[in-house]
Amino acid sequence: MNEFWSTLRELPGAFAWPWWLCALPLPWLARRLLPPRRSASAALKVAFGDRLDAISAPGGGGSSGGISVFAWLAWGLLCLAAARPQQLGPAIAPPQAGRDMMLAVDLSGSMSEEDMTLGDSVVDRLTAAKAVLADFLDRRAGDRIALLVFGQRAYTLTPLTLDRDAVREQLRDAVVGLAGRETAIGDAIGLAVKRLRGQPAEQRVVILLTDGVNTAGALTPMKAAELAKNEGVRVHTIAFGGEGGLSVFGFRLPGTGEDEIDEATLQAVAKTTGGRFFRARDTESLSGIYAEIDALEPVQRPGQRVRPRIERYPWPLAGAVALALLGFAAPLRRPA
């Protein structure tokens, strides 16, 4: 029996409490099985009593037939409303759940170095990083993303938000030197940790892109890494930059560049916090790194689409009330 009711509840457009439909015959059963009410008061006996009994009996020539129809219909609708009829609504998917991710981008003076290729053009490091980051943002639906930039100081341009377009716009408007010409890697990590501190654990991620050495700020990168470790923040570090050097009419002069990225410190920061270290020497390798980070920090995809049940009991309930009122009003409208 329990399986029968469970199957009935699972039918499309079915009832939440279908057992209430068993109450439909109760008035009829009560009328058939219960003894008639006998009055103890004195009664007037007349010679044509049999005819009066026939008139007052069910189906007789009295006026109770119309009222009983309203009563039966009202009772049926009332039982229908009690069974809670439901209708399946349109299918919806639960929202995606992702990470609280902080993008920390270096805007120091060295990011203006034109040693990157984007398409057929030679561009500076920041322009190349912007192009790759924009593609990365397109794949992070469900993440709350913040944008932090740093040079001599660190600043949060965009707080944690699901609005990736806002992050993309702020990134597009960022320019070299906006936060100073030096590089404060430690302060950038420290500020990111501070902004992520109040977010759910195991969801806090920092992706730090830099092309230099820590030359400014109050925190050393390793001290900031310890703070990140204590707060459960993973820091993925990306050392980004080509060979550098001088260029003439778009052609690079060999032997004029010098790699000044502190890879050892960036590796130590990533290892301390449980993150990964990456080295990108061109736009293609940087794009591959962000694709790898995308796999390391997956976004939880939506679950199975579900169809919510919409309650429809107000309609039969309103019908029952209306029929009950009509049943009471019908005898009042008959002429005396």
Side-chain angles (χ1 to χ4, degrees), residues 262-304:
D262 188 357
E263 294 187 22
T265 297
L266 295 178
Q267 288 175 346
V269 168
K271 183 177 180 180
T272 299
T273 61
R276 291 278 302 276
F277 167 78
F278 303 92
R279 180 67 172 96
R281 298 184 181 276
D282 52 40
T283 307
E284 183 178 354
S285 61
L286 180 62
S287 180
I289 287 170
Y290 277 106
E292 188 171 347
I293 293 175
D294 190 39
L296 287 173
E297 304 291 349
V299 177
Q300 181 181 337
R301 300 301 174 188
Q304 185 178 3

Side-chain angles (χ1 to χ4, degrees), residues 31-86:
R31 190 169 186 179
R32 296 282 296 184
L33 300 179
L34 295 178
R37 181 175 180 271
R38 298 294 182 180
S39 176
S41 60
L44 177 65
K45 295 184 178 295
V46 294
F48 46 87
D50 293 339
R51 293 179 60 189
L52 292 177
D53 290 339
I55 294 174
S56 62
S63 60
S64 62
I67 300 177
S68 65
V69 171
F70 285 121
W72 274 108
L73 290 176
W75 175 254
L77 290 176
L78 192 62
C79 292
L80 192 65
R84 284 182 58 194
Q86 298 174 331

Side-chain angles (χ1 to χ4, degrees), residues 100-106 133-134 136-137 140 144-150 155-158 160 167-168 171 192 196 205-209 238 290 293:
D100 289 328
M101 186 172 291
M102 182 78 71
L103 301 179
V105 180
D106 189 350
L133 277 170
F136 177 73
L137 287 171
R140 301 305 301 186
R144 294 201 309 161
I145 297 178
L147 177 63
L148 182 151
V149 297
F150 63 97
Y155 301 97
T156 303
L157 291 186
T158 306
L160 286 170
V167 178
R168 192 179 291 108
L171 178 65
L196 294 173
V205 178
V206 177
I207 302 176
L208 183 138
L209 181 145
I238 303 175
Y290 277 106
I293 293 175

Side-chain angles (χ1 to χ4, degrees), residues 69-324:
V69 171
F70 285 121
W72 274 108
L73 290 176
W75 175 254
L77 290 176
L78 192 62
C79 292
L80 192 65
R84 284 182 58 194
Q86 298 174 331
Q87 178 184 2
L88 291 179
I92 59 174
Q96 294 177 323
R99 303 284 192 263
D100 289 328
M101 186 172 291
M102 182 78 71
L103 301 179
V105 180
D106 189 350
L107 297 184
S108 62
S110 56
M111 288 294 287
S112 62
E113 189 72 48
E114 294 184 355
D115 59 355
M116 292 292 152
T117 302
L118 192 61
D120 295 330
S121 304
V122 176
V123 298
D124 60 76
R125 297 172 180 177
L126 180 58
T127 300
K130 287 180 180 181
V132 175
L133 277 170
D135 180 67
F136 177 73
L137 287 171
D138 290 338
R139 300 195 297 266
R140 301 305 301 186
D143 281 345
R144 294 201 309 161
I145 297 178
L147 177 63
L148 182 151
V149 297
F150 63 97
Q152 187 173 353
R153 293 181 178 84
Y155 301 97
T156 303
L157 291 186
T158 306
L160 286 170
T161 178
L162 292 170
D163 188 356
R164 290 171 294 152
D165 291 334
V167 178
R168 192 179 291 108
E169 290 178 6
Q170 290 289 345
L171 178 65
R172 185 185 61 233
D173 295 338
V175 295
V176 171
L178 179 65
R181 307 291 294 185
E182 298 183 64
T183 309
I185 297 174
D187 283 5
I189 298 173
L191 180 59
V193 171
K194 181 179 179 180
R195 293 288 182 264
L196 294 173
R197 181 175 295 155
Q199 308 311 318
E202 305 301 327
Q203 302 287 335
R204 311 165 187 167
V205 178
V206 177
I207 302 176
L208 183 138
L209 181 145
T210 182
D211 69 341
V213 180
N214 189 76
T215 58
L219 281 176
T220 65
M222 292 312 302
K223 178 62 175 178
E226 291 295 333
L227 293 175
K229 178 183 178 181
N230 294 336
E231 295 293 339
V233 178
R234 289 187 301 280
V235 182
H236 301 294
T237 57
I238 303 175
F240 180 47
E243 299 303 325
L246 300 175
S247 63
V248 178
F249 301 113
F251 296 96
R252 189 151 313 281
L253 300 180
T256 61
E258 182 181 358
D259 194 352
E260 296 182 348
I261 302 175
D262 188 357
E263 294 187 22
T265 297
L266 295 178
Q267 288 175 346
V269 168
K271 183 177 180 180
T272 299
T273 61
R276 291 278 302 276
F277 167 78
F278 303 92
R279 180 67 172 96
R281 298 184 181 276
D282 52 40
T283 307
E284 183 178 354
S285 61
L286 180 62
S287 180
I289 287 170
Y290 277 106
E292 188 171 347
I293 293 175
D294 190 39
L296 287 173
E297 304 291 349
V299 177
Q300 181 181 337
R301 300 301 174 188
Q304 185 178 3
R305 296 173 69 87
V306 296
R307 298 182 65 183
R309 293 183 179 272
I310 304 173
E311 297 287 349
R312 296 302 186 193
Y313 69 87
W315 295 102
L317 182 60
V321 173
L323 287 173

